[in-house]
Amino acid sequence: MEPPQIPQRVIDRVLRRRGRLHVHESLDAASTALLVVDLQVHFMREGSPSEMPSARAIVPTVNRLAGALREQGGHVVWVVSTYGPDEERNWANLDIVLGEEAAAVFRDGLSEGAAGHAIWPALDVREGDPLVHKNRFGAFIGSQGRLAQVLRDLGVDTVLVVGTVTNVCCETTAREAAAYDFKTVMISDANAGRTAEEDAWTYAVCFATYGDVLTADEAIERLG
């Protein structure tokens, strides 16, 4: 999967301001977690009402990055959208934003126990990997602080964000991670969005204002 290109004018502005292209020249694997956001059947199954075809394409890259990080003592954390069946997992604002009918389909597909709620079976989930539920787009606020606690308990200070949708749950999670003082990297060939243009603008904002953007190969090289 070819990563979207950040506009040159954004790159030039960043170079003028901080004097180098990337924030992180190296990454400490032991204190790094891969946050895999919403790679669930509801978003990835062909014909699903929330299907994101590009999400299926990133699976090999996500697995490769997870394997490289594990080999060096890092962590993989699975973040899943869970909007039911318990009433407290409901997010009422979805009815306003999506419309009641679409919101109901979304909640039904992402309720615990529904077929769509499961993590996509081709992903390399290992015993002992933390699983964190969220009921907002951002995984930190949406987990009511549990994700931050899981990461702190693991000794993590750096997160690599992958998953879907790039400019919705992944971007929101990355922004929150930076606000919680985690070093934040979005992986440009392991996030799945609707168009390359939308993805590119997400990466441009991250790159320029709150984190870093690397390809999976670049991240693995820095871990090494």
Side-chain angles (χ1 to χ4, degrees):
M1 181 175 176
E2 189 69 23
Q5 297 301 308
I6 294 172
Q8 187 61 45
R9 63 184 179 276
V10 176
I11 293 172
D12 293 342
R13 185 167 73 243
V14 168
L15 286 171
R16 286 195 301 270
R17 190 171 62 214
R18 69 180 175 223
R20 64 184 189 277
L21 188 60
H22 291 292
V23 178
H24 307 297
E25 297 302 323
S26 64
L27 299 168
D28 177 22
S31 60
T32 298
L34 181 68
L35 299 186
V36 186
V37 179
D38 287 1
L39 290 185
Q40 296 164 260
V41 170
H42 184 71
F43 297 109
M44 301 175 74
R45 180 181 56 217
E46 190 171 353
S48 168
S50 298
E51 181 188 3
M52 192 63 53
S54 56
R56 294 190 293 270
I58 66 172
V59 168
T61 303
V62 172
N63 284 342
R64 182 164 58 87
L65 185 53
L69 187 55
R70 286 188 179 109
E71 284 177 6
Q72 298 188 60
H75 312 277
V76 180
V77 179
W78 303 90
V79 177
V80 296
S81 282
T82 305
Y83 290 95
D86 301 331
E87 188 65 28
E88 62 267 21
R89 285 177 165 168
N90 191 343
W91 180 20
N93 204 38
L94 285 176
D95 292 321
I96 301 169
V97 176
L98 301 182
E100 291 186 10
E101 184 176 343
V105 171
F106 193 75
R107 289 194 189 97
D108 288 346
L110 291 168
S111 286
E112 197 163 11
H117 182 261
I119 294 173
W120 188 247
L123 287 158
D124 184 16
V125 182
R126 302 282 181 90
E127 185 177 355
D129 289 348
L131 175 72
V132 177
H133 297 268
K134 68 178 178 68
N135 67 339
R136 298 292 189 276
F137 293 149
F140 288 84
I141 292 174
S143 65
Q144 293 76 50
R146 182 169 176 262
L147 176 58
Q149 190 60 57
V150 165
L151 296 174
R152 300 296 188 201
D153 289 347
L154 291 171
V156 166
D157 64 13
T158 303
V159 295
L160 312 178
V161 179
V162 302
T164 199
V165 176
T166 307
N167 61 346
V168 185
C169 293
C170 299
E171 180 180 357
T172 307
T173 295
R175 287 174 180 268
E176 290 178 356
Y180 274 78
D181 272 335
F182 291 95
K183 301 170 187 174
T184 303
V185 180
M186 294 194 77
I187 305 299
S188 59
D189 51 352
N191 279 272
R194 292 178 177 83
T195 68
E197 182 182 19
E198 291 180 37
D199 284 3
W201 280 112
T202 290
Y203 299 140
V205 174
C206 177
F207 179 73
T209 59
Y210 63 87
D212 205 347
V213 178
L214 300 171
T215 66
D217 284 343
E218 289 170 336
I220 290 169
E221 182 181 359
R222 283 161 172 76
L223 290 167

